[in-house]
Amino acid sequence: MPVVAGVDSSTQSCKVEIRDLHDGSLLGSGSAPHPPAFPPRSEQDPAAWWTALKAALVTARNDAGVSRTDIIALAVDGQCHGLVALDAADQVVRPAKLWNDTTSAPQLERLKRLIGAPEWIRAVGSLPTAAFTLSKIAWLAENEPAHYRRLRHVLLPHDWLTWKLSGRHVTDRSEASGTGYYSAAESRYLPEFLVHVDAERDWADALPEVVDASTAVGTVSGTASTELDLSPGTLVGPGGGDQHAAALGLGIVPGDVVYTFGTSGVVFTTSDTPVFDLTGMVDGVADMTDGYLPLVSTLNAARVTDTFARILGVDHDGLAKLALDAAGGSGLVLAAFLDGERKPNRPGAQGILSGLTSATDREDIARAAFEGVILGLVSGERQLNAAGVRTGGRLIATGGGARSAAYTQLLADLTGREVLVADAPEASARGACVQAAAIASDRPVREVLRAWAPATRSVATPRPGSGTVRETAADRYAVLAGWDALDTPATDSPGTTA
């Protein structure tokens, strides 16, 4: 029975799904944790990702009851941005810097002044933050010159796993467009930006080849075949970014909008044309087909409610109950910048809870915790609209937070729209399966995306009376968090601190 495997290597864990090649039905799944990593210095040893992949694949294969010869293709999506530095022997030079490592903020600001914020946006579709790879390369050159001298290959986390599988240094448009030195609109690297880090290095030899999303990069290497117990002819896809894979797994079309509540918060849609938001808030990155995935990504999401559950001495269900029991309209607003923030770009920011009075109770605080996360993404959707991106279609919630009734109900209240969830609890791993099926059956990724689009169901609609609270909360949040000042083009000045 031919099957495909999709691998989602996130900040927190590796998840693997095995699906039937022909109809996409889920046959088995598995997961394994990654070592914890937290800002501002968020790093992981890539070897841990490989160990987790091996464990998760064994579990998924046993769950599906398939043999090594049944898996004919696999693809990997991973946490975006980051930096995996390899030397001439393809050895990892130092632990990988993750997307939520903010230590390269000073280098980012210097690069922004050298390149120019509007010019950078027009070139790559985004105004990079410290999450983007270019600033991390600059950090390595400045802070660890011995390691930098060993650098020969620049990979992203998912690129490194694809290299472990296939032996090739490759990437895809979705991930390349999040580096800060790749133009998705022109489908080319921009070495002139890397020259600002090192004018002497031949960057062309250091960067991975960008492979079309529907094209296999090869088959598993002999080492990978042995370590993962896969047939030598198993095809390997080019993979992509985690949110980009989620878009495939959810089967979204232009106009749909997705709210992701995970380690980070993301609001995104898909577009057939490139997006250039000169305020710098929208990342106009490529998707895993031939199009684009305009998105706004916040640094603080589910960890915010984790933190407030600890502060209030309740579990997640207890926090959700408190939030849903709150009357609303208390005026309490949270700028949830607990670990800094990247949209708006404030790496040194801290959280602010505003509107406290002697009448404030635990329910109000719990509700503010959820709303602080949600309103950051609602502001992001407004910025998508301001950039000319349509989001009037379905509203789909995903990520671990989407399993919380408080997140989905308050999202409905704060948007005034019906909230759906898809029959794709692990949308990113599902999307990786979509790509694996495309390369295995020699079909375009978009064709498999449409054929495998999951069913959706309604989980929340706006509660009576939520309209008045919605407008008040959104306006107060915009002022507190600084979104009300985003109607002017991005400048070269450093981000302010909340």
Side-chain angles (χ1 to χ4, degrees), residues 192-447:
E192 59 267 31
F193 290 176
L194 286 155
V195 166
H196 291 299
V197 176
D198 187 343
E200 303 301 321
R201 184 181 289 270
D202 183 357
W203 288 105
D205 289 342
L207 305 179
E209 177 187 355
V210 181
V211 178
D212 179 77
S214 303
T215 303
V217 303
T219 58
V220 292
S221 66
T223 301
S225 173
T226 299
E227 291 192 31
L228 299 178
D229 193 24
L230 293 171
S231 295
T234 304
L235 295 171
V236 180
D242 51 2
Q243 301 302 329
H244 315 76
L248 297 186
L250 294 169
I252 68 168
V253 298
D256 293 341
V257 62
V258 178
Y259 278 71
T260 300
F261 301 102
T263 305
S264 62
V266 188
V267 57
F268 65 84
T269 185
T270 187
S271 171
D272 292 329
T273 56
V275 175
F276 301 92
D277 173 25
L278 291 183
T279 70
M281 299 306 295
V282 175
D283 289 340
V285 294
D287 67 7
M288 285 175 65
T289 63
D290 298 319
Y292 300 86
L293 196 80
L295 61 85
V296 176
S297 181
T298 61
L299 189 64
N300 299 274
R303 279 181 179 163
V304 173
T305 42
D306 289 347
T307 299
F308 275 83
R310 174 178 54 78
I311 291 171
L312 294 175
V314 294
D315 59 15
H316 291 101
D317 291 338
L319 188 72
K321 183 178 187 306
L322 286 172
L324 293 173
D325 286 345
S330 69
L332 200 63
V333 180
L334 173 69
F337 302 162
L338 274 59
D339 291 318
E341 191 47 84
R342 60 180 178 181
K343 299 293 182 176
N345 183 31
R346 297 174 179 176
Q350 296 176 329
I352 300 175
L353 188 60
S354 173
L356 284 163
T357 72
S358 58
T360 300
D361 57 24
R362 298 171 78 237
E363 287 81 2
D364 294 332
I365 294 172
R367 178 167 178 154
F370 284 99
E371 289 186 339
V373 174
I374 295 167
L375 286 169
L377 297 179
V378 170
S379 299
E381 184 184 357
R382 289 182 173 184
Q383 200 64 33
L384 287 169
N385 299 151
V389 181
R390 296 184 297 109
T391 58
R394 300 175 299 169
L395 190 162
I396 301 172
T398 188
R403 293 191 284 269
S404 165
Y407 267 118
T408 53
Q409 182 59 63
L410 291 171
L411 177 60
D413 293 343
L414 291 169
T415 59
R417 299 167 66 181
E418 178 184 33
V419 175
L420 308 174
V421 295
D423 182 18
E426 299 297 341
S428 294
R430 193 180 195 279
C433 285
V434 169
Q435 186 187 82
I439 64 171
S441 56
D442 196 24
R443 291 187 289 170
V445 169
R446 286 195 181 194
E447 182 179 322

Side-chain angles (χ1 to χ4, degrees), residues 6-46:
V7 179
D8 172 35
S9 183
S10 70
T11 314
Q12 296 178 322
S13 65
C14 179
K15 300 180 179 69
V16 175
E17 285 194 347
I18 293 179
R19 292 183 175 269
D20 183 274
L21 171 64
H22 301 299
D23 63 13
S25 58
L26 179 64
L27 303 176
S29 61
S31 66
H34 288 158
F38 303 96
R41 192 180 182 98
S42 183
E43 300 178 349
Q44 288 172 339
D45 181 353

Side-chain angles (χ1 to χ4, degrees), residues 81-93:
H81 314 302
L83 170 63
V84 182
L86 301 185
D87 65 14
D90 283 333
Q91 296 301 304
V92 175
V93 170

Side-chain angles (χ1 to χ4, degrees), residues 56-70:
L57 182 60
V58 168
T59 301
R61 188 160 55 195
N62 290 340
D63 188 37
V66 297
S67 69
R68 69 192 302 265
T69 58
D70 292 326

